[in-house]
Amino acid sequence: MQTIVREMKLDDIDEVTIFLRDHFYGNEPLMQTPGDHQIDYDDAKRRKYRLSLIAQGTSLVAIEAGRFVGVAFAGVIHPSDLEESWSEANEHKPKLLIEHIDYFLSDLARSARFFERYGVVDALYLSVLAVDATVRRQGLGRCLVTALLDVGRAKRLPLLVTSCTSLYSKRVMDALGMECVRSERYKDYEDEDGNVVIQPPAPHTECTVMAIKL
């Protein structure tokens, strides 16, 4: 069956939001931490952020037989964006799992210092890669990232960066020639009481910031 990968459009927002509900939040390893963890997958803040990425023309959808089977949300970031994201996550003490995840990821991306490492002032950051559960392990994730590499080059961006929260996504990035910039084990992230907060199922043990020059 033919798969079409195209630029995500603003009119796609409702369909991709439902896609994320069905194929991302329930399957994201970090959100599988034991416990009853509620998340508003379509609150005003998240929708505004997604729309801002779509408007940049740097996000993609994969379509088979008229239905979405994959999405890649990506956008251009600068060093100040990392600082702003970290400051926002650090503004209030994390309580909910999703708040701890936001803090963990923003702190890891900030400490990776990939702007300094590669001597660049902007980069294309892949924030969400999701594939329909019925078509996984068929190379669709790799197809989306490969197309995203082309998008970055077409827009003359010097670097593609992403944070791999699962072992499987890291393998995809490894296969595409991306290199590890920094990683952190989930068991090393604790709350103020010394409890390990983020506990994804095996084999997902660490988050890895990956990058590749374009």
Side-chain angles (χ1 to χ4, degrees):
M1 187 177 297
Q2 182 182 14
T3 302
I4 298 172
V5 175
R6 65 160 172 81
E7 178 185 328
M8 193 182 296
K9 303 295 185 181
L10 291 173
D11 288 347
D12 295 323
I13 185 63
D14 290 331
E15 191 167 354
V16 296
T17 298
I18 293 173
F19 184 90
L20 291 176
R21 179 198 67 188
D22 295 341
H23 301 286
F24 179 69
Y25 286 109
N27 297 280
E28 158 60 40
L30 307 194
M31 289 304 297
Q32 294 180 39
T33 293
D36 183 19
H37 306 294
Q38 301 299 319
I39 179 173
D40 185 349
Y41 66 90
D42 191 27
D43 59 23
K45 181 180 177 181
R46 294 181 192 282
R47 175 164 286 235
K48 181 179 178 180
Y49 174 65
R50 291 171 191 149
L51 287 170
S52 72
L53 296 182
I54 297 173
Q56 294 181 40
T58 50
S59 296
L60 304 171
V61 294
I63 302 171
E64 285 185 3
R67 69 184 182 99
F68 286 4
V69 291
V71 301
F73 275 94
V76 181
I77 61 169
H78 304 86
S80 59
D81 294 318
L82 294 182
E83 293 298 327
E84 182 179 343
S85 176
W86 181 83
S87 295
E88 186 175 311
N90 197 42
E91 186 175 357
H92 303 289
K93 185 184 300 181
K95 294 180 180 179
L96 302 175
L97 175 63
I98 190 62
E99 294 173 342
H100 279 286
I101 291 174
D102 287 344
Y103 178 86
F104 175 86
L105 293 177
S106 62
D107 186 56
L108 180 59
R110 175 174 172 265
S111 63
R113 300 192 176 279
F114 47 82
F115 287 111
E116 295 90 335
R117 179 186 180 112
Y118 294 98
V120 300
V121 295
D122 55 11
L124 182 59
Y125 188 85
L126 171 60
S127 58
V128 173
L129 178 66
V131 174
D132 188 310
T134 64
V135 293
R136 286 183 188 149
R137 301 183 185 275
Q138 297 181 27
L140 185 52
R142 178 169 179 164
C143 180
L144 280 164
V145 180
T146 299
L148 196 59
L149 291 171
D150 292 337
V151 170
R153 295 184 182 110
K155 292 183 176 293
R156 299 186 180 279
L157 293 164
L159 195 69
L160 174 67
V161 183
T162 190
S163 297
C164 297
T165 57
S166 79
L167 176 63
Y168 305 138
S169 59
K170 182 179 183 300
R171 286 174 177 170
V172 171
M173 307 309 165
D174 282 333
L176 290 169
M178 298 184 74
E179 64 177 341
C180 171
V181 180
R182 185 176 176 84
S183 64
E184 185 171 337
R185 298 180 301 179
Y186 297 121
K187 69 178 183 179
D188 292 335
Y189 176 75
E190 301 176 343
D191 63 16
E192 60 181 4
D193 296 321
N195 300 310
V196 176
V197 179
I198 305 173
Q199 302 177 48
H204 314 295
T205 60
E206 63 182 7
C207 182
T208 306
V209 178
M210 306 287 286
I212 187 170
K213 289 184 177 180
L214 301 178

